Amino acid sequence: MIEFKNLWPCFSLWLLSSFSSLVTGMCIEFFQELQIDFSQYEHPVVLTVEAQAKYVGNVGGALSKNLFLKDKKHRYYVVSALADTKVDMKVLSQRLGLGKGGLRMAPEEALGEILKVPLGCVTPFALVNESASHVSLLLDKGFKTQERCIFHPLSNDMSISLNAFGLDKFLKSIGRDPTYIDLEANPPVGKDQPPDLASLVPSGSTVLPDLPEKIPSQDSSGNHPSAGNNSTAVTAKADKPSSAVQNVKEKSVNGVRPSIPSTDAGKFVEELLDRTSTLLLSEISEDSIKRHGGQLGAEVANNIKKCLREDLKNLATIFKNTAYTEGFYAGTHYQPKRL
């Protein structure tokens, strides 16, 4: 078989950056339309709060961690907190009226099916998606005390900072009433003391397609690293900023545009095909032609199908999500003239 070990990592990274460009551009444009005051910072892909802190830890803002959770009745929750807030899942579960073991990390498949974001990109902004309409959002009251708070805008190769007022404005624009709570509180729950957060339990459940459920543990920023973590108290503390902060590129808000137009599916697909063709041709050598002869085309096609199948499914999901978001925004801001 043809070795694609040199081809696939390059193409996979490009495809991932294209996805990030698409969804980030959509989110940024939404902020602009709402006239939300924010700053944005580009950086390499980060998978933890600690890694994020190396690039944006000194830009002026409090880092956040975001957890995607589910209960036994298939109801989902996004818990968004300051990076140094201690979130004890057993205590939180009791406060919601779910018992000590009522909450668990949501499966990896739910990220794509419900929040429409890849691993490492859990964020309150993902609730713009129609598929997340039944997801409950629990916000750390500590955000209210910060001048600026830092989140990922649907992708983890960029961070944005904004104040609680800007976050509230975004959430209200999508029909959400922001709820801030003390995530470190541990009030007693008993017969005469009902759960104080029971009203935040979603009224509806979300049933995912029948998929093999993998439940890797999430780290403090809402990611699913390969290493497990059985602790029920999820904590994180931002590292001190390093010299890597100098590599962060801050763009003016007015100049933000995704590298591939988020609304033009044709151009996106054409560029994808062009780059794929270029990469493929660069990998086909005289040696591979000699070894495979007339079977070379079939060999290439089979390997590309295997490599691209899942990524292209994700791409289709992102375009569907983009179309919904823009349609939602147009519907809420366009008022037809009355005859």
Side-chain angles (χ1 to χ4, degrees):
M1 293 180 64
I2 295 177
E3 294 293 335
F4 283 88
K5 60 183 180 181
N6 296 324
L7 166 63
W8 180 242
C10 296
F11 182 73
S12 181
L13 288 174
W14 170 79
L15 195 58
L16 177 60
S17 68
S18 297
F19 290 167
S20 298
S21 171
L22 181 70
V23 295
T24 300
M26 176 187 70
C27 190
I28 295 301
E29 289 175 1
F30 202 16
F31 292 155
Q32 292 174 335
E33 293 288 346
L34 293 173
Q35 296 184 334
I36 292 175
D37 177 29
F38 71 97
S39 298
Q40 68 179 92
Y41 308 92
E42 291 184 348
H43 51 69
V45 170
V46 293
L47 297 176
T48 65
V49 171
E50 290 79 7
Q52 184 184 23
K54 294 177 182 179
Y55 298 101
V56 295
N58 71 340
V59 299
L63 294 170
S64 66
K65 58 184 177 185
N66 299 274
L67 305 173
F68 189 36
L69 311 175
K70 68 172 291 188
D71 63 26
K72 295 179 180 178
K73 294 185 178 181
H74 302 285
R75 296 172 297 200
Y76 291 84
Y77 309 78
V78 168
V79 178
S80 186
L82 293 173
D84 57 0
T85 295
K86 296 179 180 179
V87 181
D88 189 317
M89 286 176 57
K90 286 185 177 179
V91 172
L92 181 60
S93 181
Q94 283 187 305
R95 294 177 66 188
L96 289 165
L98 306 174
K100 285 187 177 180
L103 282 179
R104 63 190 297 190
M105 297 300 179
E108 180 179 332
E109 292 80 6
L111 284 172
E113 292 289 337
I114 297 175
L115 295 187
K116 306 297 185 186
V117 295
L119 296 176
C121 301
V122 178
T123 169
F125 305 125
L127 299 186
V128 69
N129 300 311
E130 182 181 23
S131 54
S133 60
H134 292 298
V135 176
S136 181
L137 175 63
L138 284 65
L139 296 167
D140 188 349
K141 74 172 188 178
F143 288 141
K144 291 282 192 179
T145 67
Q146 302 296 320
E147 185 175 346
R148 310 280 283 189
C149 302
I150 299 175
F151 303 89
H152 288 312
L154 301 179
S155 64
N156 55 359
D157 60 353
M158 182 180 291
S159 297
I160 62 168
S161 68
L162 74 172
N163 55 29
F165 175 78
L167 178 59
D168 290 352
K169 190 173 183 180
F170 171 85
L171 292 172
K172 290 177 180 177
S173 75
I174 61 173
R176 292 278 184 158
D177 187 17
T179 302
Y180 292 86
I181 62 176
D182 183 355
L183 288 169
E184 293 187 333
N186 188 7
V189 176
K191 183 177 180 181
D192 299 321
Q193 296 168 308
D196 64 317
L197 302 181
S199 62
L200 299 180
V201 174
S203 58
S205 61
T206 303
V207 180
L208 295 178
D210 291 332
L211 294 170
E213 187 172 299
K214 302 178 198 175
I215 310 179
S217 60
Q218 297 178 18
D219 66 17
S220 57
S221 59
N223 307 307
H224 296 258
S226 56
N229 181 1
N230 296 323
S231 173
T232 56
V234 184
T235 61
K237 201 164 188 177
D239 290 342
K240 292 182 180 180
S242 69
S243 58
V245 175
Q246 298 175 358
N247 297 326
V248 178
K249 181 180 179 183
E250 181 175 2
K251 289 186 176 182
S252 63
V253 172
N254 293 331
V256 178
R257 285 285 176 247
S259 62
I260 302 173
S262 61
T263 57
D264 195 329
K267 288 184 178 179
F268 187 95
V269 171
E270 285 301 321
E271 183 161 343
L272 187 153
L273 293 174
D274 288 345
R275 296 194 190 186
T276 304
S277 299
T278 301
L279 286 169
L280 280 173
L281 291 173
S282 68
E283 287 294 317
I284 298 176
S285 64
E286 291 185 7
D287 180 61
S288 64
I289 294 174
K290 290 179 180 178
R291 283 190 290 119
H292 296 282
Q295 298 300 315
L296 180 62
E299 197 73 20
V300 170
N302 289 335
N303 279 279
I304 289 301
K305 285 180 181 179
K306 291 178 182 178
C307 292
L308 291 183
R309 183 173 287 110
E310 290 303 316
D311 284 327
L312 291 179
K313 284 181 181 178
N314 291 336
L315 177 60
T317 299
I318 289 174
F319 271 120
K320 181 177 70 174
N321 175 42
T322 303
Y324 166 75
T325 302
E326 297 200 355
F328 173 88
Y329 182 78
T332 56
H333 289 73
Y334 173 69
Q335 298 295 331
K337 294 181 180 180
R338 295 183 178 180
L339 298 177

